[in-house]
Amino acid sequence: MLEKYDYIVIGGGVVGSVITRWLSKYEGSVLLIEKESDICMGSTSSNTAIVHAGYDPLPGSLKARMNVRGNEMWDTLAGELEFPFERRGDYVVAIGEEEFSNLTTLIEQGKKNGVPGMRLLMGDEVRSLEKEINPEVSGALWAETGGICDPFAITISAAENAVVNGAKVMLNTAFEDFIMDGDRIIGIKTNKGDFGCRWAINCAGLYSDVVMHKAGVRPEFKIIPRKGEYFVFDRADITVNNVLFPTPTEKGKGILVTTTLHGNTIIGPNSVLIDDKEDRSCTTAGLDEIWEGAQKLVPGLKRKHIIGMFAGLRPYGNGPCKTPGIDYQHDYIIEIPEKVKGFVNLGGIESPGLASSPAIAEEVVAMLQDAGETLKVKKDWNPIRRSRPRFRDMDHKERERMIRLDPRYGRVICRCENVTEGEIIAEIHSPIPATTYDAIKRRTWLGTGRCQGGFDMPRVVEILAGELGVSPLEITKKGSGSDFLSRPTKNVEGK
Amino acid sequence: MAVKELYDVIVIGSGPGGLAAAIAAKKAGADDVLIIERDIELGGILLQCIHNGFGVEIFKEDLPGPTYSQRFIKEVRALGIETMLDTMVLDITPLKKVYASSKQHGFVVLEARSIVLAMGCRERTRPMIRIPGTRPSGVYTAGTAQRWTNVEGYLPGKRFVILGSGDIGMIMARRLTFEGAKVERVLEVMPHLTGLTRNYVQCLLDFDIQLQLRHTVKRIIGNDRVEAIESVKVDEKWKPVPGTEEIIPCDTLLLSVGLIPENELSKKAGVLLDPRIGGPIVDDSFQTNVPGIFAAGNVVHVYDLVDWVTEAGYVAGNAAGEYAIKERQKETGSITIQAGDNVRYVVPQMLDKAHLTDKPISLQMRVINPIEDPVWVEAHDGSNLVARKAERYVRPGEMVTLKLRPKHFDDVRKAGTLTISVNPK
Ligand SMILES: Cc1cc2nc3c(=O)[nH]c(=O)nc-3n(C[C@H](O)[C@H](O)[C@H](O)COP(=O)(O)OP(=O)(O)OC[C@H]3O[C@@H](n4cnc5c(N)ncnc54)[C@H](O)[C@@H]3O)c2cc1C
Ligand SMILES: Cc1cc2nc3c(=O)[nH]c(=O)nc-3n(C[C@H](O)[C@H](O)[C@H](O)COP(=O)(O)OP(=O)(O)OC[C@H]3O[C@@H](n4cnc5c(N)ncnc54)[C@H](O)[C@@H]3O)c2cc1C
């Protein structure tokens, strides 16, 4: 017998996870499948983590609407799911007169998009607000609704909340094809077997083109990965506590200088079209490009303060991906195509896809209702997901109390980010269990500091092995094939 | 172990630097000495250095790391130095409060009269040298690989390329070869070896492991686990020379590209660092700019021989011990001197207990009324007579002096207040 679901969501990035959370509110069964060993390993794992205000997208686009509405929804969502989010506003910084005049265009665009709380600042004001800024700053666009987030936290907490409300999440499960009955999707084929569904929802990010083609939808639409690279700085050495965008120019969008929620300055991303959807490698040319680009906003950056680097891929849609009534390229596709029944098709959800994700979920639910779904809220739906204790954020008293309750919270495993054994174990036994090193890293930020896991790695491998009841040889960094250790040493083997 | 709240000396870290410092502090006369160590054993990084080469200077013996540190651990135990293991120090303040956390002791706040920073160093990582490429499993610092191999008992790979010709890298090359792993290459970006020649001969040459100077890793290849690295030759300006690229298949890249003194805690305590080396600026007793905070070993600068770390630990520990003793004497505080019967005033009004050492102290006073008969000038602590002397007469116009001598000091120290009176005999 085929296992049947009302809704199957393909892809566990922020978009798939937030949609799953939205659907878990209603009666009906939901399955989220993700091909990797954890959710949040695609585009959502490597980006700038900005919740954009919404002055960037072209007025009238679906992207603009999703961005502005999405931004509005973050406070409530962060409250319900207890993930960190800070609405600290953002700056578009102008250097020189010419750039300053471009800011007016941006403000106009923002107004058309319905972005509240934008203001032009003069050079002096900007200099007094951000001490690291290039002294030649001529002014900035200030948008008070801009925010920063932890992309892992929203994605994981949304999926966890969905699980608690009855949704099922299957990891290491890759979509392969649709099972059709005429023009209706009635199920999917995966490497873990077939599953029946009434609706399939395409949230496959970089692979959303492949998935829609399997349904015979938009065969001309193609995702081209667009790489962006980053450097992360030691917060002990430099802190730019603001989100600083350069003013977009003819030459491109430029390189940002911004901050993580944990106070680490980051710079990036560049923008390079590539052809391999799995190629998240950093390149010499790319790293040079972001280094030089960032000097424009903050000339005082020092290479010796770099502690991390990474690259992400944007799902850049090149095709004539027109939403009904909207006539230009690179907009989001969010549709229920006419010629295939039981299919919600999303594609090209590039930046600001993270910021837009709550609005996209809301939009999908509205579309399903329009298509005749009677969505009834579950009687016992619980919108609240509690965050788990974080040693790093506790004051002395709270730490004392926590360790008295559970001594494992007293053992610090990550020396730079102060993550404890108790936290790691809690993540291993959470609603979406963390079973790899990177899964724990995503949930706790362990290993992201200046020693980059050099200290915690052997200890985390040991804890994982202990909790999962397997040998340390079986513990991986990010799933099958990425093991840490190859065999016991000779003296141990001899024993 | 019952944790006290106040220690004479707290030593942070139990490597050779910390062990020596604790021993010296105790020998200098400090009573309560505590070592806090985040690992589950004392010994520091030496615990994973199972090769020999330690102690040639101090013991005139060639010992393995753990044996070397064991000698000091024994002494620490014999001297009754307290230890808190599996405990991470999270914060230190300029006023020498120490915040630490552990499973066993919970979250503790301790105070110290002096502190010795002996946190050692950490290794430089991949992002710090900005090696491009993918981010698979199998890129480790040499020290992490050393811990896995020598402490945990697991080999972290089968085919290795090692970047950096520092000592840890070369020693690991030999260790891995002993274990049956293949070390394909050691690459060094400098035109010369960065570790000891002794290690080059004993660890690389003797095992036919190829060292390529002026070479570096251009990029890392492999999505899940390292599959290969691309090496490249560099010119005098460290620029890659086109056409010299070579793909070297391997499953592990070890980085032995330098150590950085571990001073995050020091910074929190307001300790100033030397920007060139990243360690505290110290005086000849290894005292930092924060009075009573000392530093020893790799936390100050990276040593090549452990013997010199031990010696630095002795110097810092001895000074920290002496500092604590002085502090203790000061704290015991001061004694108020009061004018009693027929005394108008006494100078000094206060006695610092720290000054009750080997020199007499004069108390000077004037009387209220003249007494033309012999009198006793007396210092009392309540009903206890501490010191007295006789005078033939006293007059308000003539100052009177009473000397407290070292033989009185024990009694003086016990007193909160000394009352001086002048009465007829
Ligand atoms: C460099 C960069 C910077 C960015 N900066 C920002 C920013 O600051 N703010 C912002 O709002 N947005 C930003 N974005 C955009 C944002 O990251 C994306 O829009 C968002 O993460 C897209 O989420 P997603 O869930 O659609 O995609 P993904 O996170 O890629 O999720 C898709 C998931 O589907 C899975 N999948 C694919 N194929 C299959 C299959 N066959 N079977 C099962 N599962 C499958 C994938 O493994 C993946 O987990 C940035 C993006 C990049 C790359
Ligand atoms: C990976 C590595 C391998 C080495 N191999 C060799 C070698 O083979 N031969 C050689 O001659 N030298 C070697 N060295 C150099 C060696 O470090 C020194 O010779 C010597 O061990 C330094 O002693 P130390 O006491 O300064 O530091 P360490 O021995 O590093 O001791 C520092 C101690 O402080 C503890 N600590 C740090 N922070 C905290 C905190 N916040 N709370 C509690 N405890 C803390 C650490 O756990 C550690 O035990 C190596 C160094 C490293 C990093």
Side-chain angles (χ1 to χ4, degrees):
Chain A
M1 258 293 284
L2 203 60
E3 216 174 290
K4 275 197 179 138
Y5 294 87
D6 290 297
Y7 311 99
I8 292 183
V9 178
I10 302 165
V14 67
V15 173
S17 298
V18 174
I19 289 178
T20 305
R21 190 265 182 175
W22 242 256
L23 290 173
S24 73
K25 177 176 175 180
Y26 305 101
E27 285 176 4
S29 51
V30 196
L31 170 67
L32 169 68
I33 64 162
E34 168 54 55
K35 70 176 164 66
E36 301 294 334
S37 61
D38 191 14
I39 56 172
C40 205
M41 289 176 68
S43 301
T44 309
S45 71
S46 331
N47 56 58
T48 325
I50 294 171
V51 177
H52 294 78
Y55 46 75
D56 270 328
L58 276 185
S61 64
L62 183 56
K63 209 186 234 174
R65 181 158 65 83
M66 292 296 107
N67 187 171
V68 176
R69 172 65 185 141
N71 177 296
E72 221 170 74
M73 296 169 74
W74 273 73
D75 306 274
T76 311
L77 196 58
E80 289 178 347
L81 302 179
E82 288 196 352
F83 59 75
F85 164 59
E86 284 180 28
R87 207 179 267 292
R88 12 179 126 173
D90 60 46
Y91 298 86
V92 182
V93 179
I95 311 287
E97 287 315 307
E98 199 190 320
E99 289 195 0
F100 190 73
S101 59
N102 289 351
L103 294 180
T104 348
T105 332
L106 217 49
I107 280 211
E108 283 314 309
Q109 185 162 300
K111 282 187 185 148
K112 282 190 193 141
N113 289 347
V115 178
M118 288 178 301
R119 199 152 65 80
L120 272 184
L121 304 179
M122 301 313 285
D124 283 346
E125 247 177 304
V126 185
R127 273 187 291 273
S128 70
L129 290 165
E130 175 51 69
K131 63 180 186 344
E132 303 280 352
I133 198 100
N134 183 346
E136 283 164 36
V137 57
S138 54
L141 159 58
W142 161 250
E144 66 177 28
T145 57
I148 54 173
C149 73
D150 171 347
F152 306 119
I154 176 180
T155 307
I156 290 162
S157 62
E160 280 184 1
N161 182 240
V163 168
V164 169
N165 283 302
K168 184 168 173 185
V169 173
M170 286 182 69
L171 303 174
N172 297 305
T173 306
F175 164 89
E176 285 166 355
D177 207 349
F178 289 109
I179 306 171
M180 309 289 295
D181 179 8
D183 63 355
R184 175 171 293 280
I185 291 175
I186 55 161
I188 62 166
K189 291 180 188 297
T190 78
N191 60 331
K192 295 276 175 79
D194 299 349
F195 301 94
C197 64
R198 292 197 303 114
W199 289 92
I201 303 161
N202 177 9
C203 301
L206 288 162
Y207 294 89
S208 55
D209 54 349
V210 178
V211 170
M212 68 179 88
H213 298 166
K214 294 279 186 192
V217 172
R218 294 188 188 269
E220 75 292 342
F221 176 77
K222 188 171 185 304
I223 296 271
I224 303 178
R226 203 155 57 96
K227 191 186 277 184
E229 293 161 75
Y230 296 88
F231 277 130
V232 184
F233 292 82
D234 193 335
R235 63 171 162 266
D237 294 316
I238 175 155
T239 41
V240 172
N241 269 320
N242 291 299
V243 178
L244 308 175
F245 288 94
T247 303
T249 62
E250 306 273 273
K251 281 193 230 138
K253 285 185 128 181
I255 305 298
L256 276 80
V257 178
T258 174
T259 174
T260 67
L261 276 177
H262 306 286
N264 296 93
T265 299
I266 57 177
I267 63 171
N270 56 340
S271 174
V272 182
L273 292 174
I274 60 169
D275 25 66
D276 180 356
K277 288 179 176 174
E278 297 298 324
D279 173 13
R280 287 191 178 79
S281 61
C282 290
T283 63
T284 310
L287 294 174
D288 287 349
E289 185 185 348
I290 59 168
W291 182 255
E292 262 139 49
Q295 310 294 315
K296 187 177 162 191
L297 294 184
V298 178
L301 296 168
K302 292 204 179 60
R303 280 210 167 92
K304 67 173 182 187
H305 298 155
I306 293 172
I307 56 164
M309 56 196 226
F310 62 92
L313 300 180
R314 307 169 182 89
Y316 182 69
N318 77 328
C321 44
K322 297 170 191 161
T323 327
I326 296 163
D327 191 20
Y328 81 96
Q329 300 193 348
H330 306 307
D331 201 357
Y332 292 164
I333 299 171
I334 306 174
E335 62 180 2
I336 295 184
E338 273 179 21
K339 58 180 195 179
V340 186
K341 303 278 180 295
F343 187 43
V344 182
N345 187 33
L346 278 66
I349 312 290
E350 53 172 31
S351 189
L354 178 60
S356 307
S357 57
I360 295 176
E362 191 181 61
E363 183 82 359
V364 166
V365 165
M367 280 183 174
L368 285 168
Q369 275 166 331
D370 281 352
E373 285 287 290
T374 45
L375 293 170
K376 261 180 63 191
V377 178
K378 282 177 191 156
K379 278 204 199 73
D380 56 352
W381 179 59
N382 180 5
I384 306 297
R385 171 260 181 202
R386 290 262 169 253
S387 64
R388 288 181 281 278
R390 288 287 170 254
F391 186 80
R392 177 180 42 227
D393 302 329
M394 297 179 194
D395 63 26
H396 296 328
K397 278 236 159 59
E398 293 168 322
R399 286 178 174 178
E400 218 181 300
R401 186 155 11 98
M402 189 71 221
I403 302 169
R404 229 180 297 121
L405 283 174
D406 184 345
R408 296 173 303 180
Y409 282 82
R411 187 155 183 247
V412 178
I413 300 294
C414 169
R415 65 173 165 193
C416 307
E417 300 298 316
N418 285 344
V419 180
T420 63
E421 183 177 327
E423 289 161 85
I424 296 170
I425 293 175
E427 294 307 328
I428 298 173
H429 302 294
S430 65
I432 300 177
T435 59
T436 66
Y437 179 85
D438 281 359
I440 290 173
K441 181 171 174 175
R442 279 186 282 276
R443 286 160 177 78
T444 63
W445 287 89
L446 140 166
T448 61
R450 57 189 74 86
C451 91
Q452 291 285 300
F455 179 74
D456 66 58
M457 222 182 262
R459 292 161 173 87
V460 174
V461 167
E462 194 185 322
I463 295 171
L464 269 167
E467 293 298 312
L468 299 174
V470 300
S471 148
L473 295 169
E474 288 177 46
I475 301 304
T476 67
K477 177 169 158 60
K478 50 184 175 182
S480 161
S482 65
D483 36 51
F484 285 100
L485 304 168
S486 57
R487 64 168 168 80
T489 50
K490 287 176 180 169
N491 56 337
V492 175
E493 273 176 322
K495 264 195 240 165
Chain B
M1 182 194 81
V3 180
K4 298 188 197 73
E5 279 170 7
L6 175 67
Y7 286 85
D8 281 331
V9 182
I10 293 183
V11 177
I12 302 172
S14 72
L19 292 173
I23 291 167
K26 188 83 184 182
K27 287 186 173 167
D31 284 337
D32 300 319
V33 179
L34 170 70
I35 302 177
I36 307 181
E37 168 57 53
R38 65 183 173 202
D39 214 317
I40 55 172
E41 294 175 82
L42 297 175
I45 213 78
L46 292 192
L47 293 177
Q48 66 185 54
C49 300
I50 61 172
H51 53 279
N52 51 3
F54 297 91
V56 182
E57 300 292 332
I58 286 194
F59 297 119
K60 310 289 174 219
E61 281 181 78
D62 193 2
L63 306 169
T67 313
Y68 181 89
S69 56
Q70 198 52 44
R71 299 198 173 180
F72 297 90
I73 294 171
K74 267 198 192 140
E75 200 174 350
V76 160
R77 299 280 180 229
L79 288 169
I81 292 166
E82 289 178 40
T83 56
M84 277 172 96
L85 298 177
D86 206 2
T87 303
M88 180 80 87
V89 176
L90 298 171
D91 209 349
I92 324 173
T93 70
L95 293 175
K96 298 190 278 293
K97 277 205 164 158
V98 175
Y99 297 86
S101 176
S102 77
K103 240 173 161 162
Q104 193 194 340
H105 307 288
F107 189 82
V108 292
V109 186
L110 308 171
E111 229 177 302
R113 296 192 170 93
S114 65
I115 291 178
V116 181
L117 306 169
M119 289 92 72
C121 52
R122 72 187 135 86
E123 299 179 274
R124 299 215 319 146
T125 64
R126 172 184 179 184
M128 289 182 190
I129 53 168
R130 300 182 298 281
I131 306 175
T134 51
R135 296 203 299 161
S137 184
V139 182
Y140 307 123
T141 58
T144 303
Q146 191 178 46
R147 181 179 173 99
W148 255 323
T149 314
N150 295 344
V151 180
E152 318 272 339
Y154 290 100
L155 263 194
K158 298 190 188 96
R159 284 177 89 175
F160 291 78
V161 168
I162 298 176
L163 178 61
S165 63
D167 292 316
I168 314 172
M170 292 195 286
I171 284 164
M172 277 309 286
R174 175 177 65 184
R175 177 77 182 99
L176 294 164
T177 309
F178 280 151
E179 279 295 337
K182 177 90 178 88
V183 178
E184 299 288 344
R185 205 77 57 87
V186 177
L187 305 173
E188 170 57 60
V189 73
M190 306 293 279
H192 53 78
L193 200 68
T194 61
L196 301 171
T197 309
R198 173 183 94 186
N199 282 330
Y200 171 62
V201 176
Q202 296 174 0
C203 300
L204 302 188
L205 275 189
D206 288 357
F207 295 88
D208 286 332
I209 298 168
Q210 194 189 346
L211 168 70
Q212 280 182 310
L213 299 174
R214 274 201 209 288
H215 274 72
T216 191
V217 176
K218 192 178 171 197
R219 72 186 163 113
I220 295 168
I221 301 167
N223 275 336
D224 295 324
R225 176 85 196 195
V226 174
E227 286 162 20
I229 61 104
E230 185 176 326
S231 70
V232 70
K233 193 174 160 68
V234 297
D235 64 17
E236 292 75 22
K237 292 189 186 115
W238 293 32
K239 284 259 175 306
V241 180
T244 61
E245 292 86 357
E246 180 188 351
I247 303 277
I248 310 175
C250 58
D251 62 15
T252 314
L253 173 65
L254 288 196
L255 303 177
S256 176
V257 290
L259 303 171
I260 305 171
E262 175 110 308
N263 279 292
E264 276 55 51
L265 281 178
S266 324
K267 283 193 238 172
K268 290 186 186 171
V271 169
L272 294 177
L273 306 183
D274 180 333
R276 278 163 306 179
I277 50 179
I281 298 170
V282 289
D283 69 11
D284 53 311
S285 67
F286 287 108
Q287 185 165 216
T288 68
N289 63 301
V290 182
I293 300 189
F294 299 78
N298 279 356
V299 78
V300 178
H301 68 135
V302 178
Y303 286 78
D304 52 0
L305 276 185
V306 72
D307 309 68
W308 310 138
V309 174
T310 299
E311 296 219 319
Y314 283 148
V315 174
N318 181 56
E322 286 179 351
Y323 186 97
I325 291 166
K326 280 202 198 117
E327 280 299 295
R328 185 199 273 270
Q329 286 166 346
K330 267 194 228 159
E331 277 154 30
T332 37
S334 50
I335 299 148
T336 310
I337 311 213
Q338 237 176 25
D341 296 345
N342 198 28
V343 177
R344 193 146 65 90
Y345 70 82
V346 190
V347 169
Q349 293 85 343
M350 310 265 280
L351 268 186
D352 188 340
K353 284 191 187 173
H355 299 150
L356 300 173
T357 48
D358 49 3
K359 288 192 197 73
I361 294 168
S362 297
L363 306 180
Q364 300 164 339
M365 69 203 79
R366 282 184 195 277
V367 292
I368 300 171
N369 299 309
I371 301 175
E372 297 296 336
D373 295 312
V375 294
W376 283 123
V377 181
E378 294 178 331
H380 281 271
D381 169 23
S383 58
N384 181 32
L385 175 65
V386 174
R388 77 172 169 185
K389 81 168 198 183
E391 289 282 354
R392 282 186 293 122
Y393 58 89
V394 287
R395 292 167 193 154
E398 296 174 31
M399 197 175 82
V400 181
T401 300
L402 173 66
K403 267 203 164 104
L404 297 176
R405 298 179 190 283
K407 66 174 180 189
H408 303 128
F409 286 174
D410 273 348
D411 280 334
V412 173
R413 219 174 265 122
K414 282 186 209 132
T417 311
L418 277 186
T419 310
I420 315 299
S421 53
V422 177
N423 287 309
K425 264 185 166 179

